[in-house]
Amino acid sequence: DLSEQRMYVNIGTTTIHTFPVSTGTARTPTPKGNFKIFLKQEVRIGGARPHYIMPKYQMFKAGGYGIHAFPSLGNDKGVFWREALNHIGSPRSHGCIRLLPEDAVFVYDFTELGTQMTIQK
């Protein structure tokens, strides 16, 4: 839910977990609609500079839109990662859905290719 900056993990109509997230900004919004996870990678390295490192990556829309743990940069001694930690619960990404690391592990392990998801406001 973009307006709440929350992810609801459901089995059927029952919510089993709720997680805080950071989604896209007004300039780089997270797309709304119904999607399916079609790619899972333990770690994804962004193709464009500054080449973000994104653990527990799950792509749901072409163009690089995914769910993942906080991104980091390999050469900043964790500065960017700590900044992302302060942003949880507010729109800050380039369109991805960012999770706390332990939450990203749960979501990554819970889903499989083809898992359906809805992004709404």
Side-chain angles (χ1 to χ4, degrees):
D1 188 301
L2 299 173
S3 63
E4 295 179 11
Q5 294 293 290
R6 307 286 298 172
M7 175 183 286
Y8 298 90
V9 178
N10 298 327
I11 296 177
T13 59
T14 302
T15 300
I16 62 166
H17 277 291
T18 304
F19 300 116
V21 298
S22 289
T23 61
T25 66
R27 281 184 73 192
T28 56
T30 300
K32 291 181 279 210
N34 296 310
F35 304 96
K36 289 183 182 179
I37 293 170
F38 65 89
L39 174 72
K40 292 180 72 163
Q41 295 176 307
E42 285 286 332
V43 177
R44 182 175 182 85
I45 307 298
R49 288 191 181 274
H51 306 295
Y52 295 115
I53 301 166
M54 299 168 282
K56 302 299 182 185
Y57 185 87
Q58 302 181 80
M59 190 176 289
F60 61 85
K61 184 178 180 195
Y65 294 97
I67 302 166
H68 58 81
F70 289 153
S72 63
L73 298 170
N75 59 355
D76 74 342
K77 298 181 175 57
V79 171
F80 183 78
W81 189 92
R82 285 189 299 278
E83 179 181 307
L85 181 61
N86 293 329
H87 295 161
I88 195 71
S90 64
R92 299 293 178 123
S93 79
H94 294 106
C96 284
I97 299 170
R98 297 177 180 176
L99 290 157
L100 292 167
E102 60 274 17
D103 298 345
V105 169
F106 176 89
V107 172
Y108 189 88
D109 291 345
F110 181 80
T111 64
E112 54 190 40
L113 294 177
T115 296
Q116 296 181 356
M117 56 184 282
T118 301
I119 301 173
Q120 63 189 23
K121 189 161 182 141

